[in-house]
Amino acid sequence: MDRRALSHDEVADDLPAYLLGALDDEGCEAVAAHLATCPVCQRERARLEATIGALATLAPVADPPTDLRDRLLARLDADADGSPPTPQDPPAAAAPAPVSRLDTPRWMRFALAAAAVLIVGLGIALALIARDLARVRSDLAELREEQQMAAAALTGAARAIPLVSEGATHAYGTLYVSEDDHEALLVVTEIPPTPDGRVYQVWLREGEARTSAGVFTVDDSGRAVLRLQAPRPIADYQAMGITEEPGPTGSPGPTSPPLATCSLS
Amino acid sequence: MSVSPSDQELIERIRARDQDALALLYDRYARPVYSLALHILHDRRAAEDVVQDAFLTLWQRPETYISERGAFGPWILRVARNRAIDLLRRRSRETFHDDDRGAPFEERIVDPDPEPGDQIWTHTVADRVRAALEELTPAQREVIELAYFRGMTQSQMSAHLDVPLGTIKTRVRTALRRLADILEEAEVWTDVP
């Protein structure tokens, strides 16, 4: 059924649920389209939005931590360049995103199952190495630590974003992002080793700004695991990219085209 | 004695990149914003993130607040609520917490802070909203709570309450419009002058 063909009354009936974020996904587009052109509904929106805002005062009062103000103002200083918002950002006070875009349990189960397989595989590989190659015990301990770190991060992962190769270089891997967007683990499964003295550097893009999230090198099989060092929640960034940079610490900003990227939005 | 600037004056100063103005608005609204986020998320760290995100949104995109569409207080609270609900939905996926489902809505909305200080306006609004809610039926109050504080869609409420979807839609529509009628009559919310 084409919702755009419905009458004013029929669409307007959905306006309260739409503004509450309670309208199911399939109805949102028709209401938004109608709202953009209907002055009657625009007046009703103002009235209902004031009501919705007033509902917030029913929450039991709690004091924010005293240092939160200072942390906010510090972030303003960091944002002093006044980087403009991206055009695709939704209106700040728009209703919450429709549930269907966020509610991905089957996908999540798949990601976690894949993570479990990866962890088991890593465990078996580590056992074989320990039996046959005693001289790499120190490396093994390091790998085990990485594995534990990976297991912890992957178990809590809410999103698994595949890397997209750019240019001629094939790069395969996945970025796992935790539910609260504060942790991200990059698992590279195949990427060419860097020349001596060079490293791969991970960048988080926000508008025109690029923030380094760490450097890594790969082993002989092209694998690496890196926990991203992100100063802000991952969801604040639009994309991640990997470039090759001078080692061992990388560059202040990317100096070469990305080998691989992924969208974070 | 100095006169406190109005919300609108502070917004204008923020548009001119005045950090002190944002700090003043923070002092005025951080408490209800944090309280709301904490009530939705039950997670202090996440609630702090929501507060920062809401005020950073204002700082980075002050043009998204349109004064012609209403007072600043409801706007900043909607920004925070929507962010909190998005986080809640990501976190809860298919299940909803049953921690306090059995208690009536009115009992879950506890008394506000006993030390009003400069938050009198919040208390005044809260008192009027509580009074307005009393004029709704329990079923109408329930859908408002499930939608507003727990982020449920109408379909989810239908399944959660085992009530036909059409009935839920009627309750949501009637409840919010009725609340708006009552609160509009009471002139419940204006900017800090």
Side-chain angles (χ1 to χ4, degrees), chain B residues 40-41 54 85 112 125 136 160 170 175 180:
Chain B
I40 291 173
L41 292 165
I85 292 296
V125 173
L136 303 184
H160 180 74
T170 301

Side-chain angles (χ1 to χ4, degrees), chain A residues 3 9-10 12-26 35 42 44-86 89-99 102-106 108-109 112 155-159 178-183 206 232-233 235-236, chain B residues 17 19-20 22-24 26-27 30-32 34-39 44-45 47-49 51-53 55-57 59-61 63-64 68-70 73-75 77-79 81-83 85-87 89-94 105 108-113 121-123 125-127 129-130 133 143-144 147-149 151-157 165 169 172-174 176-184 188-189:
Chain A
R3 293 296 304 261
D9 287 344
E10 288 170 310
D13 276 352
D14 283 339
L15 188 59
Y18 174 77
L19 295 174
L20 271 171
L23 190 62
D24 291 284
D25 198 13
E26 61 269 19
L35 195 52
Q42 288 169 3
E44 179 70 351
R45 173 179 62 189
R47 206 171 71 95
L48 296 179
E49 282 185 338
T51 302
I52 292 168
L55 287 170
T57 62
L58 296 174
V61 173
D63 286 319
T66 52
D67 67 338
L68 185 58
R69 186 181 193 269
D70 291 338
R71 282 188 273 147
L72 172 68
L73 296 178
R75 287 181 68 176
L76 298 192
D77 288 333
D79 188 56
D81 62 345
S83 53
T86 53
D89 284 342
V99 166
L102 298 167
D103 203 5
T104 54
R106 283 186 198 163
M108 207 89 67
R109 282 197 292 271
L112 291 174
T155 302
R159 290 193 287 163
S178 66
E179 287 182 358
D180 63 4
D181 270 319
H182 285 279
E183 300 285 343
E206 184 183 20
R232 295 168 55 186
D236 286 359
Chain B
R17 317 313 288 158
Q19 293 191 6
D20 291 341
L22 188 83
L24 282 169
Y26 176 92
D27 293 340
R31 200 181 196 193
Y34 178 76
S35 302
L36 173 63
L38 187 62
H39 188 57
R44 292 187 182 279
R45 183 178 168 187
E48 291 169 22
D49 288 344
V51 173
Q52 293 210 44
D53 287 349
F55 284 96
L56 278 174
T57 295
W59 177 252
Q60 293 170 337
R61 295 187 286 158
E63 72 281 1
T64 54
E68 290 78 15
R69 279 179 54 177
W75 180 86
L77 287 165
R78 279 203 313 282
V79 172
R81 183 259 175 181
N82 293 344
R83 174 71 176 150
I85 292 296
D86 282 344
L87 291 174
R89 286 175 176 172
R90 284 189 202 181
R91 202 168 63 185
S92 61
R93 303 183 200 132
E94 292 179 306
F105 180 36
R108 275 173 262 162
I109 304 300
V110 301
D111 286 341
D113 180 24
W121 58 271
T122 308
H123 293 199
V125 173
D127 288 345
V129 174
R130 281 193 193 85
L133 281 167
V143 294
I144 290 291
Y148 186 80
F149 287 109
M152 286 193 190
T153 66
Q154 293 180 133
S155 293
Q156 289 171 331
M157 284 188 270
L165 179 59
K169 288 182 175 180
V172 170
R173 180 169 59 239
T174 307
L176 193 61
R177 284 179 175 167
R178 178 78 183 118
L179 269 182
D181 289 343
I182 298 166
L183 295 178
E184 187 177 45
V188 70
W189 199 306

